[in-house]
Amino acid sequence: MAAMNTADLTRRLENLIRFGTVAEVDPAKPRCRMKTGGLVTAWLPCFTLRAGEDRTWDPPSIGEQGIVFSPSGDPATGAVLVGLNSDAFPAPDNDPSRHRRTYRDGAVIEYDTATHTLRATLPGGGKVDIVAPGGVTILGDVTITGLVTVSEDVVAAGISLVQHVHGGVLSGGATTGGPQ
């Protein structure tokens, strides 16, 4: 095996760990290219929180700071770890009691350990869809401000809003009194 020259060893050492910014993203692969110094890397895999039976999807943003780890010193064989705050993408909060996730459209999901409050704030026109074939259980008081639309029925204390009847009323054009 031929010995490496000093210049090649120095270059490989400098390339083991390089800071840079995301230059391009290919979400279909998923891969990204990093700009680091005068170099733009090949398409490299990006670390994610989970990539096994349980998986996460959170692609990097162009301009986001990160680190290229190249175990052999060759950036073409590296992997990218993104998530370094910068002037372009500052931290979304500075309160140590809050865990906050801010999205590009302005949506915010946060949990505050000091106030024990979980909050989701969506931008204008934002919607929440919960798909739970086994049902949804809410334990606690519920306050709803705004219109409630139900496609089938509402049952309160065993009384169906759709199926219930009022006794002591004559059929025809008469109406019942108000709720008691």
Side-chain angles (χ1 to χ4, degrees), residues 47-109:
F47 288 93
T48 185
L49 291 177
R50 296 293 305 272
E53 289 182 33
D54 296 328
R55 298 176 296 279
T56 57
W57 171 243
D58 195 3
S61 301
I62 292 177
E64 184 174 1
Q65 287 188 337
I67 304 171
V68 178
F69 293 100
S70 305
S72 66
D74 178 5
T77 63
V80 177
L81 177 64
V82 293
L84 301 174
N85 292 120
S86 65
D87 290 340
F89 297 104
D93 199 354
N94 62 3
D95 186 330
S97 69
R98 274 195 300 260
H99 176 266
R100 178 179 282 180
R101 174 75 186 246
T102 302
Y103 294 87
R104 71 187 81 209
D105 67 352
V108 176
I109 297 175

Side-chain angles (χ1 to χ4, degrees), residues 8-30:
D8 190 43
L9 277 174
T10 301
R11 181 184 57 77
R12 285 180 178 266
L13 279 173
E14 288 173 350
N15 287 334
L16 285 173
I17 301 172
R18 293 189 67 132
F19 288 87
T21 57
V22 176
E24 295 179 70
V25 176
D26 182 349
K29 295 272 187 242

Side-chain angles (χ1 to χ4, degrees), residues 20-179:
T21 57
V22 176
E24 295 179 70
V25 176
D26 182 349
K29 295 272 187 242
R31 299 274 190 271
C32 75
R33 293 175 61 141
M34 294 289 287
K35 184 177 187 320
T36 172
L39 169 73
V40 175
T41 67
W43 290 101
L44 301 174
C46 301
F47 288 93
T48 185
L49 291 177
R50 296 293 305 272
E53 289 182 33
D54 296 328
R55 298 176 296 279
T56 57
W57 171 243
D58 195 3
S61 301
I62 292 177
E64 184 174 1
Q65 287 188 337
I67 304 171
V68 178
F69 293 100
S70 305
S72 66
D74 178 5
T77 63
V80 177
L81 177 64
V82 293
L84 301 174
N85 292 120
S86 65
D87 290 340
F89 297 104
D93 199 354
N94 62 3
D95 186 330
S97 69
R98 274 195 300 260
H99 176 266
R100 178 179 282 180
R101 174 75 186 246
T102 302
Y103 294 87
R104 71 187 81 209
D105 67 352
V108 176
I109 297 175
E110 69 181 23
Y111 181 69
D112 188 323
T113 57
T115 64
H116 315 293
T117 304
L118 177 64
R119 175 176 287 126
T121 305
L122 303 178
K127 296 184 284 184
V128 175
D129 291 327
I130 299 174
V131 179
V136 175
T137 301
I138 299 173
L139 176 60
D141 296 338
V142 176
T143 301
I144 299 174
T145 303
L147 177 68
V148 175
T149 302
V150 179
S151 63
E152 293 193 24
D153 196 0
V154 174
V155 178
I159 300 171
S160 162
L161 184 64
V162 173
Q163 305 281 330
H164 80 282
V165 293
H166 293 265
V169 218
L170 299 174
S171 38
T175 57
T176 62

